[in-house]
Amino acid sequence: MGEDIKRAWYKEMAVYQVWPRSFCDGNGDGIGDLKGILSKLDYIKSLGVDAIWFSPLYKSPQKDYGYDIADYRDIAPEYGTMDDFKAVLNGAHERGLRVIMDLVVNHTSDQHQWFLESKKGDDNPYHDYYYWRKGKSHGRKPNNWMSTFGGDAWEYDAGLDEYYLHLFAKEQPDLNMDNPKVREEVKDIMRFWLDMGVDGFREDVITFISKDEGLPSSPYWFPIGTGIEHYVHGPHLDEYLMEFKNDVLSKYDCMTVGEAPMMTPKKALMHIKEGPGQQLNMMFHFQHMEADCMFVSWVKLPFNLKKLKKVYTNWQHQLYGKAWNALYIENHDQPRIVNRYGSLEYREQSAKMLAVMYMCQSGTPFVYQGQEIGMTNNALPDINMYEDISTKNVYGIASKIFGKKKAMELAHYASRDNGRTPVQWSDAPNAGFTTAEKPWFYINPNYKQINVAAQENDPDSILNFYRKLIKFRKEHDVCIYGTYEEHYHESSNLFCYSRYLDGKKMLVVCSFTDKAVAFNAPEGFDLAAGQLVLNNYNTTGIINNGFTMRPYETRVYLWE
Ligand code: NOJ
């Protein structure tokens, strides 16, 4: 293997993300839980993945479905007990699956003991755990920042006559990471879970933890997130991440992936570049999730393949040999990918094509629950049927700007709830997700057609395609460690790239259109001499070292 690239287990793994509330209900109360997860460990293993990332399982009032933690060392009662968690942890380990926990330390729940204490007075030892500030004259807030969920980022507390900062919901007060005691708490939480045997963390909005000194107001105004330039990549981020690494993470065989909104490759390298200064193993950036929108899917634009390719190629080139990419196309914050970058008409073809498109790049692939069967968005007719706090807030703002009809259309496209409907296990009542009469959230009515059981029995299903793809990647170093080269950069219909390692090469071609497109292999690739290893149509002829690509067709050729 080339000298500039080092092997590591976290580079070779594929990860499955579980959003517990909607994964599987094991006790019949309508809510997904740890018993349900335990019952599905064999299923997760059968996908060929190597690790599970659990969205928060901790005790929480669930205002932001677990991203508001009330106790970092306890399990939410609706999900089970600590013993249930340990059973899942052991069960996963017995099957060779690592376990990655969500570490949410930019903020806590307003029901966390620290926050309840901090409200008691300026002299309370926990007061400085959070950003408490006096208002300005004439009842003005401490600054003009706005929450990334919409509305002000400050909430008034009459008892203290002070405001506290919350970059997300008002029930999610921001922790003051500048306070060394808070950083000690974070490190203790990390040790608690690592000592129990977990294998790493996905660190929630970790790049927001350091705010500009003095919390200055922003000269810019946006309906959501005003002030973001003052904390998106703050002055002490480096220092705090390094401290977590040196004092805790470096002492364990663990991995970290940091969630990093508005991240660029250049800035990412400051934190994930391999070597003594490395703070995190990988970062979840968002640039590739902006090919159909501006920053968030609520600001919708037509899908633009060239924009998508540019982002991917940039990250592939800038990180290669220096750092490692985290690859994903769905998670619990994103609408379903076939609705966005694929096609409902060609759901099966486009789901498979999108899987190939991102998983054959260099990086660690993450698969979100339901993605592997091509689940789709579920448009609910009434905003009151939505559960997600940010959907409700942003809808409120959007309906003032665009009117209710348009705002509802946007919610159908952009709501995080699209990715949070219960997993469709079978065509049994409630999609086999729960035996309760009523699940906690609406199940997508298409579960009779789209479900795991049906796809298990179909060798050509999306599910079995994912299995094949994950296995292929794992068995071929060229797919994991190879260099990357993009072809036909100017095409607005085709994404084509190749990977090279130790004399081996592979060619990946993906069509993003429902029209027929002519494809000729780039120079140096003799298709007839290669092995067709993955494809999403049954007939796969070649004419003159090329072929006419059918709607959303994908093929992967390998030369060994
Ligand atoms: C990112 C998480 O993925 C999202 O679900 C959550 O609402 C925010 N961070 C706040 O924790």
Side-chain angles (χ1 to χ4, degrees):
M1 228 168 51
E3 298 233 316
D4 51 352
I5 194 143
K6 286 183 213 71
R7 283 186 180 277
W9 60 260
Y10 70 83
K11 296 179 179 175
E12 296 182 9
M13 70 182 181
V15 186
Y16 188 74
Q17 182 193 349
V18 168
W19 196 73
R21 204 172 185 83
S22 282
F23 186 63
C24 180
D25 175 14
N27 68 355
D29 65 355
I31 299 174
D33 52 32
L34 285 160
K35 278 208 173 65
I37 294 171
L38 191 64
S39 73
K40 297 293 183 191
L41 286 179
D42 284 333
Y43 170 76
I44 297 176
K45 178 72 186 172
S46 81
L47 300 174
V49 298
D50 310 277
I52 313 173
W53 150 31
F54 289 114
S55 276
L57 290 160
Y58 317 97
K59 200 167 171 192
S60 158
Q62 308 286 352
K63 294 286 178 205
D64 186 20
Y65 289 116
Y67 287 90
D68 48 325
I69 298 175
D71 187 341
Y72 288 94
R73 293 178 177 78
D74 205 355
I75 297 294
E78 61 270 48
Y79 295 161
T81 61
M82 192 56 96
D83 283 342
D84 293 329
F85 174 74
K86 287 182 181 161
V88 165
L89 180 64
N90 290 337
H93 282 167
E94 277 162 18
R95 289 166 177 82
L97 295 167
R98 296 188 198 248
V99 170
I100 296 160
M101 297 298 269
D102 219 308
L103 185 80
V104 188
V105 292
N106 175 69
H107 45 267
T108 66
S109 158
D110 63 349
Q111 298 307 306
H112 194 288
Q113 204 53 39
W114 301 336
F115 189 71
L116 297 176
E117 285 295 316
S118 88
K119 276 167 88 158
K120 291 187 178 162
D122 291 358
D123 51 353
N124 186 286
Y126 290 93
H127 194 70
D128 276 350
Y129 270 42
Y130 297 88
Y131 290 100
W132 286 102
R133 294 289 184 275
K134 289 279 176 216
K136 290 189 183 161
S137 53
H138 310 297
R140 285 182 309 137
K141 318 245 150 132
N143 69 21
N144 68 352
W145 294 4
M146 288 178 83
S147 152
T148 56
F149 283 174
D152 283 324
W154 293 96
E155 186 69 12
Y156 183 65
D157 182 89
L160 279 176
D161 186 26
E162 283 179 11
Y163 292 85
Y164 65 86
L165 177 70
H166 60 91
L167 298 180
F168 295 91
K170 67 177 187 332
E171 295 87 354
Q172 293 168 296
D174 274 57
L175 280 167
N176 172 15
M177 208 57 78
D178 296 332
N179 180 345
K181 285 196 207 138
V182 172
R183 302 204 296 280
E184 287 309 318
E185 300 274 14
V186 171
K187 291 187 269 181
D188 276 349
I189 295 164
M190 287 178 165
R191 287 186 198 104
F192 176 83
W193 290 100
L194 290 167
D195 287 339
M196 196 185 293
V198 312
D199 303 284
F201 300 107
R202 174 265 187 188
E203 303 189 359
D204 189 68
V205 286
I206 198 67
T207 43
F208 284 13
I209 59 173
S210 166
K211 280 84 174 163
D212 275 351
E213 205 170 314
L215 311 180
S217 274
S218 174
Y220 315 107
W221 183 86
F222 297 107
I224 48 173
T226 297
I228 196 162
E229 72 277 17
H230 290 299
Y231 56 79
V232 76
H233 195 244
H236 300 288
L237 180 62
D238 239 357
E239 185 187 322
Y240 300 160
L241 291 179
M242 204 67 237
E243 183 178 328
F244 299 153
K245 169 77 188 296
N246 288 339
D247 293 0
V248 184
L249 299 166
S250 62
K251 308 201 183 330
Y252 297 83
D253 180 24
C254 65
M255 61 72 70
T256 49
V257 51
E259 191 202 22
M262 301 176 88
M263 186 49 61
T264 62
K266 202 166 152 216
K267 281 195 206 151
L269 284 169
M270 294 164 66
H271 311 286
I272 61 173
K273 189 162 183 263
E274 291 167 26
Q278 184 179 14
Q279 298 149 12
L280 297 165
N281 294 115
M282 295 175 267
M283 265 184 179
F284 283 138
H285 70 85
F286 288 74
Q287 292 188 324
H288 65 296
M289 300 314 296
E290 295 165 12
D292 63 346
C293 62
M294 207 162 81
F295 295 121
V296 286
S297 29
W298 287 85
V299 190
K300 194 175 172 314
L301 298 170
F303 173 70
N304 182 337
L305 179 62
K306 280 169 120 176
K307 191 172 167 192
L308 182 73
K309 296 197 293 187
K310 196 169 169 201
V311 167
Y312 273 130
T313 297
N314 192 25
W315 280 85
Q316 289 290 305
H317 283 316
Q318 301 230 27
L319 264 52
Y320 191 81
K322 297 190 200 122
W324 197 248
N325 273 287
L327 306 169
Y328 72 95
I329 49 174
E330 281 191 18
N331 63 35
H332 63 292
D333 293 331
Q334 303 288 339
R336 294 290 181 178
I337 199 70
V338 283
N339 289 77
R340 298 181 63 181
Y341 296 2
S343 151
L344 289 179
E345 194 186 341
Y346 295 98
R347 189 183 61 86
E348 288 205 25
Q349 290 88 343
S350 66
K352 293 174 185 173
M353 179 280 288
L354 289 163
V356 164
M357 182 277 300
Y358 88 107
M359 251 194 238
C360 288
Q361 296 184 36
S362 166
T364 296
F366 291 73
V367 179
Y368 178 61
Q369 65 187 35
Q371 179 188 326
E372 77 279 18
I373 55 166
M375 278 178 63
T376 61
N377 287 353
N378 190 21
L380 299 170
D382 185 334
I383 191 64
N384 294 316
M385 294 166 79
Y386 282 83
E387 288 283 346
D388 167 34
I389 190 164
S390 85
T391 302
K392 289 176 192 284
N393 287 358
V394 181
Y395 170 86
I397 298 168
S399 58
K400 282 191 198 116
I401 304 175
F402 306 116
K404 284 194 175 156
K405 190 163 170 271
K406 179 79 187 150
M408 204 62 225
E409 264 170 49
L410 287 173
H412 289 164
Y413 190 72
S415 171
R416 306 196 296 182
D417 279 339
N418 283 312
R420 297 178 176 190
T421 61
V423 170
Q424 296 162 203
W425 293 104
S426 70
D427 63 2
N430 289 324
F433 161 73
T434 179
T435 53
E437 211 174 294
K438 216 171 159 245
W440 79 277
F441 191 39
Y442 300 98
I443 289 179
N444 194 317
N446 65 17
Y447 74 89
K448 297 241 180 213
Q449 293 77 47
I450 304 175
N451 63 66
V452 172
Q455 297 197 20
E456 286 286 6
N457 297 327
D458 173 5
D460 285 334
S461 64
I462 303 171
L463 174 62
N464 282 318
F465 189 85
Y466 262 88
R467 288 184 170 130
K468 202 170 155 192
L469 173 58
I470 292 168
K471 184 165 183 282
F472 168 78
R473 177 185 176 275
K474 205 170 174 62
E475 289 173 352
H476 293 85
D477 271 355
V478 61
C479 192
I480 302 176
Y481 292 109
T483 54
Y484 168 100
E485 184 187 1
E486 195 198 330
H487 308 277
Y488 307 127
H489 185 66
E490 290 308 318
S491 169
S492 11
N493 294 319
L494 298 186
F495 189 2
C496 177
Y497 60 86
S498 47
R499 310 280 313 276
Y500 308 83
L501 188 79
D502 296 339
K504 297 183 179 146
K505 64 183 181 189
M506 57 189 267
L507 182 70
V508 179
V509 52
C510 299
S511 167
F512 275 78
T513 173
D514 55 7
K515 313 261 171 334
V517 186
F519 171 74
N520 294 304
E523 222 183 294
F525 293 88
D526 177 4
L527 296 184
Q531 192 192 341
L532 179 64
V533 285
L534 291 158
N535 53 284
N536 62 349
Y537 278 85
N538 287 333
T539 52
T540 53
I542 307 168
I543 302 170
N544 291 335
N545 207 26
F547 51 92
T548 302
M549 294 197 77
R550 288 152 286 184
Y552 297 93
E553 181 163 3
T554 184
R555 294 193 199 181
V556 179
Y557 287 89
L558 175 73
W559 292 262
E560 292 193 296

